[in-house]
Amino acid sequence: MDALVKNKFEFNNNVLNFSNKSFYYLESFSAMKIDALNKYDAIILDARDVEFARIILKKFRSSSNVEFYLKPIFLINAKANEDPLLKELIDGIIVSFDQIPETINDINQISIKIAQLESSTSNSFEVQLFKKVLNFMFTRETNTFTPYPDILSSIGYCYPTISVNFETFEEAKVLELLEWAEKENLIWPDFLDRVYLCSNCKNGHLSYREICPNCDSANMRSEDLVHHFPCGYIGAISDFKNNVDTVLNCPKCTKNLRHIGVDYDKPSIINHCQNCNEVFQDYLVKAKCAHCKTDTDVQFLLSKNINVYKLTKKGRTAAVGGISASDFSLSNEVFGTVNLKTFATMMHYEQERIKNNPALNANVVIIYIENIFDLYRKIGKSKERELLAEFVNIVRDNITPADFICINNPSVLSVCINDTPLQNAQIMVMKITDKLEELVYNNFDRFALNVFTQTVELSKEQSFDKQLHVLIKEIVEKG
Ligand SMILES: [Zn+2]
Ligand SMILES: [Zn+2]
Ligand SMILES: [Zn+2]
């Protein structure tokens, strides 16, 4: 440990317990993977290595797991720096470990707020991600999305709480999410600036050039056009120049030009293309994208407003009340599944069936895919239906024809397995889990799907709706 920060608050193997809270001190040479850090109440992140601090902060805040993305994180050894991520996504800066007692109140406040959050599964990528952002804002008591100029961002601006969830080259997706949230009436905009993006790939790193309308070359020379009043001659200023002095002579009448506005003027400019020799007055302006190399006439660039957004009342209450967006409707479209309403009805009859005959049983299975939206973000939402159909096939192959499947939403499948001992059902579900993970790993660039399952006997006393609600709540919170 560095002498700079050594004092009575000693960290032992990077861990310190103080006032019933555990702290983990993370410095740039700690080999620790952050996966093991969720058990600590707070992280003290050493920011001497700014790049390291940025990577760690991004890992925590971009996680889909509430234990990570809401973790209290304090910087130590932070130099003054303008990185918007490091400014907006931390819970404070301490100058020495002596100030650890001062963090306790913040940690407690955050934990009180976390306990109030609504947790449920989401109907769409937008709902899932925006709810996550709202959770962060609620626990940190902020209600404004401020854009920061950011050279690392592909659009030149970042909104730290949202941008941290995307790669810097995908920053345009942040604007799309904000547009969605505005339409859902969760936020309201206040105009700040406008950016222009490549119409092909939505990148903002554009190189603007004046180019020849004939051959598109930027290799052109502009010069003033001169109008000599006495003789009426109009020509490029170079025709009036000589190699000896700075006096301008008319090439037609050979007189000296004396005073601009009196005997001559410069009515406009003239452009000469060095590539194709074309002479013209109006050039075109094109913008070449540094990312995809598309060269676009500026009038066809995508123009986007950069707004400061504030949460609306609906937005402010959504962290604890949930976001109610339109219902998920894919269920009806995926072959071999029933929708939630039908599933609940069938489970009700199932309950009646097993109540009257002790030889019969039924098991309820919840399959929760925690990071499914991270996958859609990578592969595109258009693959959602296709992939769900594949998932359903895998489930179907590993249960009996009399069992039934419901897609609650893109991250939750419910299954009823009939007349099978609970232990056997659990083994079937383990197999399904392995196959789902394998499918995604092999087909989508080794993406590691986080699948959590619950397999229990269908309750004979509790209503099915209640049982399902509790099961999903448990699995999501545990997740
Ligand atoms: Zn003249
Ligand atoms: Zn040209
Ligand atoms: Zn582009």
Side-chain angles (χ1 to χ4, degrees), residues 264-310:
Y264 74 100
D265 72 355
K266 296 176 177 175
S268 72
I269 54 160
I270 189 94
N271 302 297
H272 182 198
C273 177
Q274 312 288 295
N275 186 49
C276 72
N277 250 331
E278 179 92 349
V279 173
F280 48 91
Q281 283 210 312
D282 298 324
Y283 48 75
L284 295 179
V285 179
K286 278 199 173 183
K288 189 185 268 173
C289 173
H291 188 67
C292 75
K293 314 287 188 277
T294 303
D295 208 3
T296 311
D297 203 330
V298 287
Q299 61 174 317
F300 300 121
L301 289 174
L302 215 56
S303 119
K304 291 276 182 190
N305 287 357
I306 299 294
N307 301 310
V308 176
Y309 290 95
K310 282 219 161 55

Side-chain angles (χ1 to χ4, degrees), residues 64 311 328 450:
S64 329
L311 295 179
F328 182 69
N450 295 336

